[in-house]
């Protein structure tokens, strides 16, 4: 049974720290990073060069027009359906502040910023908690009919579940805003189940991020795709010049054909590397996984997950704790997909960690 629950506190509820993110696992420590889902060896040299070239224009106020047009062209949409933001995190804040919502609901486990932003804007937030026993799969009927704003990730962070587009479509209805966070969709081969180019689904708002695939967490660039009236409302809530010139240069560059081809090739490599990680994890009787995984990370469950995570730190590896995600507890860990060499080193460390905690 998926029971909506109310959560009035702004930053934490039920022991879940909604403002905790993977970067906290590695900050100030020399650890191999499996806690943050940013692709390694990024940004590539050609993208760094494009960003560096934009520094010559810093005396001029940013002009988002070319980048906005590039995003619209990439998704086959009119520019009126595109809003550039300082990362997807800003988009969540704009949605919470600018769009009407009396009964917002967030589908968990998932990225916690949407709920944190809604609560910070004064909303009472309902939760639909998906269950491990169901493979964290979405049942559209679990979302209350009265919910007028629904947030769901696809593929979902941290479960790595890719929900069928048809299931997400069932959440849409007149009078409801359906927010689909597709921050990791470009890491899915073929971007199957994506809704980003759809204009026929009422109330649909799709969020995208360039942070993960292109290694731009420090630059802050993402975008929203929605009906023109929704884009207009969100834009009214933005400050002037919300996206910097270097970030705009990056957005425009990442929409070019060669960039899209590189991202597609990276998604294919991630799928291969993820299969290697999953195969290695299956060798451990103590490890249970949320399967199938379709994102650039996997979610695993160990009875002594918290102790194993601490042991992994002493062995040089950072894993993302799961207990800050509503619906999960300390026995859950999220592991970013890395290259085979790094994964093999991690699997050896995991074996040692399990021995140290008494298996």
């Amino acid at each position: 049974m998926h029971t909506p629950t109310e959560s009035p506190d702004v930053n934490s509820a039920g022991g879940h720290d909604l403002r905790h993110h993977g970067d906290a696992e590695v900050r100030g420590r020399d650890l191999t990073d499996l806690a943050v889902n940013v692709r390694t060896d990024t940004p590539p040299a050609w993208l760094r060069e494009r960003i560096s070239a934009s520094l010559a224009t810093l005396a001029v106020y940013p002009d988002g027009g070319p980048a906005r047009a590039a995003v619209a062209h990439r998704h086959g949409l009119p520019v009126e359906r595109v809003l550039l933001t300082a990362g997807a995190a800003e988009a969540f804040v704009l949605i919470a502040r600018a769009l009407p919502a009396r009964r917002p609901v967030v589908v968990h486990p998932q990225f916690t910023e949407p709920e944190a932003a809604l609560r910070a804007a004064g909303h009472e937030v309902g939760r639909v908690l998906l269950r491990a026993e169901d493979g964290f799969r979405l049942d559209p009927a679990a979302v209350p009919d009265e919910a007028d704003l629904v947030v769901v990730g696809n593929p979902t962070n941290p479960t790595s579940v890719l929900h069928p587009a048809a299931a997400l479509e069932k959440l849409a209805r007149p009078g409801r805003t359906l927010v689909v966070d597709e921050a990791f969709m470009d890491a899915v081969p073929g971007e199957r189940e994506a809704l980003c180019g759809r204009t026929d689904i009422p109330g649909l708002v799709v969020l995208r991020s360039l942070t993960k695939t292109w290694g731009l967490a420090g630059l802050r660039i993402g975008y929203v795709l929605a009906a023109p009236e929704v884009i207009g409302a969100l834009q009214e809530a933005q400050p002037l010049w919300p996206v910097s010139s270097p970030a705009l240069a990056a957005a425009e560059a990442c929409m070019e054909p060669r960039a899209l081809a590189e991202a597609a090739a990276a998604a294919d490599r991630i799928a291969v590397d993820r299969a290697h990680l999953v195969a290695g994890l299956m060798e451990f009787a103590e490890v249970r996984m949320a399967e199938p995984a379709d994102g650039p990370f996997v979610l695993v469950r160990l009875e002594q997950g918290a102790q194993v995570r601490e042991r992994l730190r002493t062995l040089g590896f950072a894993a993302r704790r799961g207990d800050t995600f509503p619906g999960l507890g300390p026995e859950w860990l999220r592991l970013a997909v890395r290259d085979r060499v790094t994964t093999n080193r991690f699997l050896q460390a995991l074996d040692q960690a399990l021995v140290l905690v008494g298996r």
Side-chain angles (χ1 to χ4, degrees), residues 17-82:
D17 179 2
L18 301 181
R19 294 294 190 184
H20 180 87
H21 299 294
D23 59 316
E25 310 280 352
V26 294
R27 187 175 294 124
R29 296 286 300 273
D30 184 18
L31 300 172
T32 298
D33 182 9
L34 275 70
V36 177
N37 295 318
V38 174
R39 186 164 63 101
T40 55
D41 300 321
T42 54
W46 64 265
L47 182 53
R48 292 198 302 270
E49 290 170 3
R50 290 286 289 274
I51 294 170
S52 295
S54 73
L55 299 181
T57 69
L58 291 185
V60 180
Y61 284 97
D63 176 11
R68 189 182 185 192
V71 171
H73 178 74
R74 180 256 194 270
H75 292 290
L77 296 170
V79 294
E80 293 80 11
R81 297 185 70 95
V82 176

Side-chain angles (χ1 to χ4, degrees), residues 7 16 73 98 201 294 317 357:
S7 45
H16 300 286
H73 178 74
I201 301 175
D294 283 293
F317 287 86
V357 300

Side-chain angles (χ1 to χ4, degrees), residues 92-242:
F92 290 125
V93 172
L94 296 175
I95 289 168
R97 294 179 179 178
L99 299 186
R102 289 177 296 182
R103 291 297 305 273
V105 166
V106 178
V107 179
H108 285 291
Q110 80 146 14
F111 186 51
T112 53
E113 277 302 316
E115 180 172 327
L118 285 163
R119 295 216 250 163
H123 296 283
E124 295 285 333
V125 182
R127 292 175 176 171
V128 171
L129 301 179
L130 306 185
R131 304 188 309 168
E133 304 93 289
D134 301 325
F136 296 112
R137 293 286 169 183
L138 172 67
D139 175 6
V143 176
D145 290 339
E146 62 270 21
D148 56 359
L149 188 150
V150 178
V151 184
V152 60
N154 205 38
T156 303
N157 171 20
T159 64
S160 206
V161 168
L162 183 66
H163 301 295
L168 295 175
E169 287 181 60
K170 291 179 181 178
L171 293 176
R173 62 192 61 189
R176 171 183 286 177
T177 299
L178 172 59
V179 180
V180 181
D181 176 10
E182 292 188 351
F184 293 99
M185 187 61 78
D186 59 356
V188 176
E191 297 195 4
R192 65 189 190 280
E193 312 301 346
L195 297 178
C196 54
R198 299 282 296 274
T199 61
D200 59 320
I201 301 175
L204 177 64
V205 178
V206 175
L207 275 55
R208 285 282 182 120
S209 170
L210 300 179
T211 293
K212 320 302 180 187
T213 290
W214 297 111
L216 299 175
L219 197 61
R220 311 310 306 142
I221 178 65
Y223 53 90
V224 181
L225 307 173
E229 60 271 21
V230 174
I231 295 298
L234 298 178
Q235 194 167 23
E236 283 293 316
Q238 275 187 313
L240 293 174
W241 312 291

